[in-house]
Amino acid sequence: RYWRGARCHTSREAGVWCWQAMSEVQIREVLPGEYEDTGSLTQRAYAEYARPGDPLWDGYFGMLADVRRRAAFAAVLVAVTGGRIVGTATVELDKTIEGTEGLPPGQANFRLLAVDPGARGCGVGRRLAGACVQVARRAGKEVATLHTTEQMVAAQRIYRSMGFQRDPSHDVEVHPDLVLQAFWLPFR
């Protein structure tokens, strides 16, 4: 299975491409020269969730591109294969990427998991989520938290399969029809 645009294709060649691409994927921190490409990828990945005419969305969409700012406050990871960035995720370890709030001791927060629409279905998101867990554990964190939306079905499937549990007490209502659903994963 692989994705091209919004259509899933299944073929022997696609399966081989996914297997080869995933065997060559390197997960690492983003380099300064990759900020723009990483921001563009994040925007492409989130475009399907756009809320046209919503000023909150417009501001959020702009923030998705600002990898330089994220990298100043958090670990920004990229998945690279064939010299191309195909995914990204952010791990907040001490402060939020907005730089205004500190995190509770022992907590890491995962943000902005994004996979290039052309590379979906090949395990990139799962590899990035696993790398986020590794970064948090190496930093001595005891729990990982994240927020996602009901519409992000593939991401929720990844998180649940990794052992993340829903935490409705920390849900955030951004708008009456947009609730950020909280999840958490204890490491002990």
Side-chain angles (χ1 to χ4, degrees):
R1 231 168 58 118
Y2 72 106
W3 291 84
R4 226 175 254 229
R7 299 182 58 197
C8 178
H9 300 270
T10 304
S11 72
R12 182 184 167 132
E13 293 82 23
V16 170
W17 179 87
C18 276
W19 179 81
Q20 288 174 336
M22 284 311 297
S23 67
E24 298 170 2
V25 166
Q26 176 189 19
I27 309 275
R28 59 169 171 74
E29 285 204 41
V30 68
L31 302 172
E34 298 168 330
Y35 290 166
E36 186 174 337
D37 289 345
T38 303
S40 294
L41 177 145
T42 308
Q43 287 182 320
R44 283 194 312 278
Y46 277 70
E48 69 188 89
Y49 307 110
R51 299 167 55 86
D54 181 345
L56 288 174
W57 170 257
D58 294 341
Y60 185 70
F61 196 71
M63 184 276 294
L64 294 174
D66 195 355
V67 176
R68 179 177 311 281
R69 178 164 176 80
R70 282 202 299 275
F73 295 102
V76 178
L77 305 177
V78 290
V80 181
T81 185
R84 187 172 145 245
I85 297 171
V86 294
T88 183
T90 300
V91 184
E92 298 171 328
L93 296 169
D94 298 309
K95 281 188 162 191
T96 64
I97 58 176
E98 292 81 14
T100 56
E101 294 180 43
L103 295 176
Q107 178 182 326
N109 193 43
F110 301 168
R111 305 261 314 254
L112 303 169
L113 175 65
V115 175
D116 185 295
R120 290 183 180 163
C122 294
V124 175
R126 182 171 305 283
R127 293 266 312 268
L128 280 162
C132 289
V133 169
Q134 290 176 353
V135 167
R137 283 186 166 153
R138 278 196 304 263
K141 302 302 179 179
E142 299 169 4
V143 64
T145 60
L146 62 85
H147 285 89
T148 189
T149 66
E150 192 173 85
Q151 295 81 7
M152 296 180 173
V153 176
Q156 286 202 26
R157 191 170 35 251
I158 290 169
Y159 302 140
R160 288 178 192 277
S161 74
M162 294 175 68
F164 277 87
Q165 300 169 20
R166 278 284 284 123
D167 182 8
S169 68
H170 286 94
D171 285 357
V172 176
E173 184 176 310
V174 176
H175 192 272
D177 61 345
L178 178 60
V179 175
L180 301 180
Q181 297 178 338
F183 284 79
W184 71 288
L185 175 67
F187 296 145
R188 298 175 195 231

